[in-house]
Amino acid sequence: PQMRLRIVGVATDDGGTALAQQRAEAVRDAIVRAGVDTGRLEVASETGSAERIEFRIIEQPIEDEFEDEPAQPAGDSDDDAE
């Protein structure tokens, strides 16, 4: 749940980047209404080959809390033996 996301509105020409930005902001607003913290979201616009919204992960947490322990499949624990 600590991931950060960039929402990018893509327009086919430079004149459409304002509209692409508005689209990205509308998507961000909908995600915020669904309960995601605004600090985890960024919006941007750019030009491309087709109009669309892109979602890009810009920061992802490193899962290191279990690095020191080897993973055990469920049911293979030594605690199960009697």
Side-chain angles (χ1 to χ4, degrees), residues 53-75:
I53 294 288
E54 293 182 354
F55 297 92
R56 300 176 186 164
I57 297 171
I58 55 175
E59 184 178 308
Q60 186 169 5
I62 297 172
E63 300 290 335
D64 60 46
E65 62 185 273
F66 299 108
E67 273 187 12
D68 296 335
E69 296 179 27
Q72 279 189 326

Side-chain angles (χ1 to χ4, degrees), residues 72-81:
Q72 279 189 326
D76 288 350
S77 167
D78 291 335
D79 297 335
D80 292 340

